[in-house]
Amino acid sequence: MPENVSEHGGAASPADDSIWHWRCKVNGQIIERDLPASTTLLHALRDHCSLTGTKGACEEGECGSCTVLLDGAPVNSCLVLAAQTQDCQVTTIEAMASGRKLHILQDKFLAAGAAQCGYCTPGLIMAAAALLKQHPDPTPDEFLQGMEGNICRCTGYKAISEAIRQAAQEWPTPPEVP
Amino acid sequence: MATTPAPPPVTDKPLIEPSPTPYADPPPSPVGASARRLDGLEKVTGEALYAADFFPREADLFATILRSHEAHAEVLSIDTAPAMKVAGVVGVYTHVDVPGTNRQGLIKRDHPVLVEDRVRYKGDALAVVVATSESAAHAGRDAIRVRYRPLPVVGSIDDALAPKAPKLFPNGNVMGGKRIRKGDADRALAEADVVVSETFQTQTVDHAFLDVEAGIARWDGRTLVIHASGQWVHEERRLIALALGLPIEQVRVIQPATGGAFGGREDLGMQVHVGLAALKHPGKTIALRYDRAESMRARHKRHALRIHYTLGARGDGTLTAAKVTVFSDEGAYASTGPAVIRKASSHATGPYRVPNVHVDVYGVYTNNNPTGAMRGFGACQLAVAYEGMIDRLARKLGMDRVELRRRNLVRSGDAVTTGQVIPLATGVECLDAVMDRFRNGGRPLEPLPPYRRRGWGVSTICFGLGYGDGFPDASRAGVRFTRDGFLEVLTGAVEYGQGLLNMVAQIAAAELGMPIEKARVIWADTGRTLESGSSSATRQTYFTGNAVKRAASELKEEILDIAGTHLHVHPHEIVLRDGLAVTRFGEPRSVPIAELVADGFNRGYELSVKALYKPATLCENFETGQSPRAFITYLFVSHLAQVVVDVETGQVTVERYIACHDVGKAINPQSVDGQITGGVAQGIGMALMEEVVMREGRMANANFTDYILPTFRDVPPVETIILENQDPGGPFGARGVGEPPLIAAVPAVLNAIHDALGVAPHTTPCNPQRVWELLHPEQAEPPADIRFRTAPPHARP
Ligand code: FES
Ligand code: FES
């Protein structure tokens, strides 16, 4: 190659991804799908189950937009492979309202104006549900530990904290987290 | 000679009896109510569909973009053959396949959609690959072979202005500039009792909206329909049509739910690329999405500004002169750069009375990311400078910072930087309100260990809303009743979280006496709505708000007309409220508006009105930058931040935050509060942590691990104070909120650090490393054993 010429690309096709037979209980329903083994839980839910309520934003565990409950515990679904959730229970934002009745957190988020663009909202509601399940009356430290993994670019967090605090006051009478 | 008539005898009785008011209390109006967001329900349930949410449902084919491997190079060849061999790839397109101008850019159209022969940043698009799956498209992209002849990378303003610098554009590396000349600044500085000087450097900032760019497009042989998130669908339609060589009526742009924008969607992202793919594959729905890295590498950024500022004053603190020279890093392409430069210079002395002003602003091309709009739009960087200068001057004079501001803030009837006289200036009122809250409220302060220092800082800013400077600025809107009794507002404006839907719905509902539950909004679809200008420049409340109010009030006349025939009174003796038409005098009688609407349709009324709001601003004198009406109106804001600085770790914590905004009238106080708190959070981010790091034209932190955003831990609950000095031209007196929360926040935090440490920050963000540098000016580098915590420990495993 002549000097001061750079050449890029021409890479071969990616290595074949083996197929994984994924079986998982999502929002109370057994789901079975054949997925490339490298599929994350986030993409399994969004691209293969049309459950697009769960959002992806950084896909490296920094923003919490993709938070779902895995056997009741909050996880960043972008960091979990679908294969790791074999026969587990996954709960997403789509399961929070029962019929037309909103979950208490959804109701408080709506009332407090805690959703502006709303992109962070599903993840925040799932993280808050997990927090309040564990600490129905969280101390400021418990609150921050439960919520600091979720980024919101729009609201400045005040209305979100307010909504979660108000939901906590009516906890645990509300419908249980599924 | 006529004699003067004797004055009438003075009596206690008023000469004119006031007419009886229809109600003891005015009925509650939808304007001023914190009504729930119209799009709130779908957002809290996860049902709202953002652009990427269409993928699993709609896509037939997937597209992706090949981006430049080099920051600056001649492109020798693009070999697409290897990509076409990848299984699943159905098309690879380069610049030769683009039928139109192949250019984009909001003001300066200097950005190629697909590069022809030269790449200018490491994000320039070279080819579009279309395949049957996303992974095949990515494999095809990686297979394309590109040969470049690398050119020297112009990595900074200094590189670009060096005598032997490679020319990035035929006319050289200076994109353009603007000047302000008012009085004689040099002479006034020479005569000033005190002079302070500083050089500020602000950083490149990423919008970091969470909803990464994505879109779908379909061409049916007649219309190209693109669903993608922008900030001005009608302008996007124009640009897409030009770039692709289509007549404008063959392009339709529809905005899906949008997860934030902040100026980051003002320039086109992938719209033309996905549109091109659709044109090449008629009848197929093409989907294209970025990942976070591509979003950060490709998108324009906030301009990094270097600001040389000299401020002169008399011994009593009266400001006499400001001399300001600004260099703006435009990156590879300018786009809105010329407008950002204008806005920066128009706000060079902020809300202060400065009789002698000399400002020069230059935009300089480099091989960094292109730049463009971001909340604050140049005014934000200048606020860092002028508010920093006021605190420096106060120290030098030994004067109280608040007193110095009060002495120099414009009062009603004074002029700002552009020479424009402000009829209603409320900066002093805002400043007094935050100081009053600060001194008479708040929790008792915890005592601090000696290595932690506390300080507070205040900022006061003004902001001219709208495009200004004579740039055409208009908004159109429609208001109509539907046969099922709903009040519909139609606007081309965009909702990306800021609360636009409620703003227009509440104004229309208030004007027509309808409950907000009966209002709905059709928005941002070039096939159904009229052009409302961009959702930027803090302009939508004022502009589209006014257009909606005009349309609604004309529609109201029609309803009143019909009501008159039902209630057998003159239409002007009827008011509309709570969904009823009610007689004003005597025993109230009423008829539901829904009934009037049904009757109106039966009688052949259209019950649909469109209106235009297009106020004029005036282009400045180019020699002096002076204009009697540079902006349609100004907003005034004052903020106060209280911080604690850990002098060992360099960590700055914002403990308390107070923000006072004069918004004219809060159409929806909850949204106003949300805009303020959100803007403050972004301001804290810009002041303390956010920074795009470029190394030789490569963005070194194109991810959320290294690009640090404020979390719950970084933002205290902002105490907001909303003042409502109604604007005579605004809808219901409203001005707007938008950008000022961020603009005022950055200097407030920096001034608080100045107060805590006694040394003034001049470079943003003031992260731990920079705090250390401020405290150790004699040492160039921190010792090797000091490790600054740059990332907050917020990642959950
Ligand atoms: S998308 Fe999973 S944490 Fe950001
Ligand atoms: S509401 Fe937009 S990111 Fe949270």
Side-chain angles (χ1 to χ4, degrees), chain A residues 55-66 76 78:
Chain A
K55 305 296 180 200
C58 69
E59 307 212 11
E60 56 180 22
E62 292 289 345
C63 74
S65 308
C66 62
N76 289 327
C78 67

PDB file of all heavy atoms in Angstrom, chain A residues 55-66 76 78, ligand 1:
ATOM      1  N   LYS A  55     -37.341   0.213  28.045  1.00  0.00           N
ATOM      2  CA  LYS A  55     -36.549   1.028  27.116  1.00  0.00           C
ATOM      3  C   LYS A  55     -35.060   0.726  27.228  1.00  0.00           C
ATOM      4  O   LYS A  55     -34.580   0.383  28.309  1.00  0.00           O
ATOM      5  CB  LYS A  55     -36.753   2.516  27.411  1.00  0.00           C
ATOM      6  CG  LYS A  55     -38.209   2.960  27.409  1.00  0.00           C
ATOM      7  CD  LYS A  55     -38.834   2.790  26.044  1.00  0.00           C
ATOM      8  CE  LYS A  55     -40.283   3.223  26.024  1.00  0.00           C
ATOM      9  NZ  LYS A  55     -41.013   2.647  24.890  1.00  0.00           N
ATOM     10  N   GLY A  56     -34.364   0.937  26.132  1.00  0.00           N
ATOM     11  CA  GLY A  56     -32.904   0.872  26.170  1.00  0.00           C
ATOM     12  C   GLY A  56     -32.364   2.257  25.882  1.00  0.00           C
ATOM     13  O   GLY A  56     -32.889   2.957  25.027  1.00  0.00           O
ATOM     14  N   ALA A  57     -31.319   2.659  26.590  1.00  0.00           N
ATOM     15  CA  ALA A  57     -30.763   3.981  26.323  1.00  0.00           C
ATOM     16  C   ALA A  57     -29.244   3.977  26.273  1.00  0.00           C
ATOM     17  O   ALA A  57     -28.649   4.641  25.445  1.00  0.00           O
ATOM     18  CB  ALA A  57     -31.239   4.986  27.366  1.00  0.00           C
ATOM     19  N   CYS A  58     -28.607   3.210  27.159  1.00  0.00           N
ATOM     20  CA  CYS A  58     -27.138   3.179  27.127  1.00  0.00           C
ATOM     21  C   CYS A  58     -26.640   1.782  26.808  1.00  0.00           C
ATOM     22  O   CYS A  58     -25.571   1.595  26.270  1.00  0.00           O
ATOM     23  CB  CYS A  58     -26.564   3.640  28.468  1.00  0.00           C
ATOM     24  SG  CYS A  58     -26.855   2.479  29.805  1.00  0.00           S
ATOM     25  N   GLU A  59     -27.429   0.803  27.166  1.00  0.00           N
ATOM     26  CA  GLU A  59     -27.106  -0.609  26.959  1.00  0.00           C
ATOM     27  C   GLU A  59     -25.762  -0.978  27.551  1.00  0.00           C
ATOM     28  O   GLU A  59     -25.047  -1.830  27.025  1.00  0.00           O
ATOM     29  CB  GLU A  59     -27.211  -0.973  25.467  1.00  0.00           C
ATOM     30  CG  GLU A  59     -28.578  -0.561  24.935  1.00  0.00           C
ATOM     31  CD  GLU A  59     -29.134  -1.447  23.841  1.00  0.00           C
ATOM     32  OE1 GLU A  59     -28.591  -2.525  23.592  1.00  0.00           O
ATOM     33  OE2 GLU A  59     -30.156  -1.037  23.251  1.00  0.00           O
ATOM     34  N   GLU A  60     -25.419  -0.309  28.662  1.00  0.00           N
ATOM     35  CA  GLU A  60     -24.242  -0.775  29.387  1.00  0.00           C
ATOM     36  C   GLU A  60     -24.402  -0.578  30.879  1.00  0.00           C
ATOM     37  O   GLU A  60     -23.429  -0.386  31.601  1.00  0.00           O
ATOM     38  CB  GLU A  60     -22.969  -0.122  28.849  1.00  0.00           C
ATOM     39  CG  GLU A  60     -22.972   1.376  28.849  1.00  0.00           C
ATOM     40  CD  GLU A  60     -21.672   1.933  28.293  1.00  0.00           C
ATOM     41  OE1 GLU A  60     -20.976   1.219  27.556  1.00  0.00           O
ATOM     42  OE2 GLU A  60     -21.358   3.080  28.629  1.00  0.00           O
ATOM     43  N   GLY A  61     -25.635  -0.607  31.345  1.00  0.00           N
ATOM     44  CA  GLY A  61     -25.844  -0.641  32.784  1.00  0.00           C
ATOM     45  C   GLY A  61     -25.702   0.682  33.498  1.00  0.00           C
ATOM     46  O   GLY A  61     -25.536   0.714  34.711  1.00  0.00           O
ATOM     47  N   GLU A  62     -25.767   1.803  32.773  1.00  0.00           N
ATOM     48  CA  GLU A  62     -25.535   3.088  33.420  1.00  0.00           C
ATOM     49  C   GLU A  62     -26.782   3.922  33.671  1.00  0.00           C
ATOM     50  O   GLU A  62     -26.722   4.902  34.405  1.00  0.00           O
ATOM     51  CB  GLU A  62     -24.562   3.920  32.574  1.00  0.00           C
ATOM     52  CG  GLU A  62     -23.160   3.372  32.516  1.00  0.00           C
ATOM     53  CD  GLU A  62     -22.409   3.521  33.822  1.00  0.00           C
ATOM     54  OE1 GLU A  62     -22.847   4.293  34.690  1.00  0.00           O
ATOM     55  OE2 GLU A  62     -21.383   2.848  33.982  1.00  0.00           O
ATOM     56  N   CYS A  63     -27.894   3.586  33.024  1.00  0.00           N
ATOM     57  CA  CYS A  63     -29.003   4.546  33.094  1.00  0.00           C
ATOM     58  C   CYS A  63     -30.284   4.006  33.700  1.00  0.00           C
ATOM     59  O   CYS A  63     -31.164   4.769  34.075  1.00  0.00           O
ATOM     60  CB  CYS A  63     -29.304   5.102  31.709  1.00  0.00           C
ATOM     61  SG  CYS A  63     -30.148   3.922  30.637  1.00  0.00           S
ATOM     62  N   GLY A  64     -30.430   2.702  33.786  1.00  0.00           N
ATOM     63  CA  GLY A  64     -31.611   2.139  34.436  1.00  0.00           C
ATOM     64  C   GLY A  64     -32.893   2.181  33.622  1.00  0.00           C
ATOM     65  O   GLY A  64     -33.931   1.721  34.084  1.00  0.00           O
ATOM     66  N   SER A  65     -32.837   2.713  32.389  1.00  0.00           N
ATOM     67  CA  SER A  65     -34.070   2.785  31.579  1.00  0.00           C
ATOM     68  C   SER A  65     -34.660   1.405  31.338  1.00  0.00           C
ATOM     69  O   SER A  65     -35.842   1.270  31.080  1.00  0.00           O
ATOM     70  CB  SER A  65     -33.774   3.374  30.201  1.00  0.00           C
ATOM     71  OG  SER A  65     -33.099   4.569  30.311  1.00  0.00           O
ATOM     72  N   CYS A  66     -33.805   0.398  31.365  1.00  0.00           N
ATOM     73  CA  CYS A  66     -34.199  -0.950  30.971  1.00  0.00           C
ATOM     74  C   CYS A  66     -34.545  -1.819  32.177  1.00  0.00           C
ATOM     75  O   CYS A  66     -34.630  -3.038  32.047  1.00  0.00           O
ATOM     76  CB  CYS A  66     -33.044  -1.587  30.219  1.00  0.00           C
ATOM     77  SG  CYS A  66     -31.587  -1.717  31.276  1.00  0.00           S
ATOM     78  N   ASN A  76     -30.817  -4.527  35.376  1.00  0.00           N
ATOM     79  CA  ASN A  76     -30.736  -3.822  34.097  1.00  0.00           C
ATOM     80  C   ASN A  76     -30.824  -4.880  33.010  1.00  0.00           C
ATOM     81  O   ASN A  76     -29.888  -5.657  32.810  1.00  0.00           O
ATOM     82  CB  ASN A  76     -29.401  -3.076  33.992  1.00  0.00           C
ATOM     83  CG  ASN A  76     -29.357  -1.882  34.921  1.00  0.00           C
ATOM     84  OD1 ASN A  76     -30.378  -1.247  35.172  1.00  0.00           O
ATOM     85  ND2 ASN A  76     -28.184  -1.569  35.436  1.00  0.00           N
ATOM     86  N   CYS A  78     -30.439  -4.818  30.025  1.00  0.00           N
ATOM     87  CA  CYS A  78     -29.437  -4.742  28.960  1.00  0.00           C
ATOM     88  C   CYS A  78     -28.176  -5.503  29.327  1.00  0.00           C
ATOM     89  O   CYS A  78     -27.351  -5.780  28.477  1.00  0.00           O
ATOM     90  CB  CYS A  78     -29.091  -3.286  28.647  1.00  0.00           C
ATOM     91  SG  CYS A  78     -28.226  -2.433  29.970  1.00  0.00           S
TER      92      CYS A  78
HETATM   93  S1  FES C   1     -30.132   0.632  28.882  1.00  0.00           S
HETATM   94 FE1  FES C   1     -29.764  -0.709  30.475  1.00  0.00          FE
HETATM   95  S2  FES C   1     -28.926   0.545  31.985  1.00  0.00           S
HETATM   96 FE2  FES C   1     -29.093   1.891  30.300  1.00  0.00          FE
END
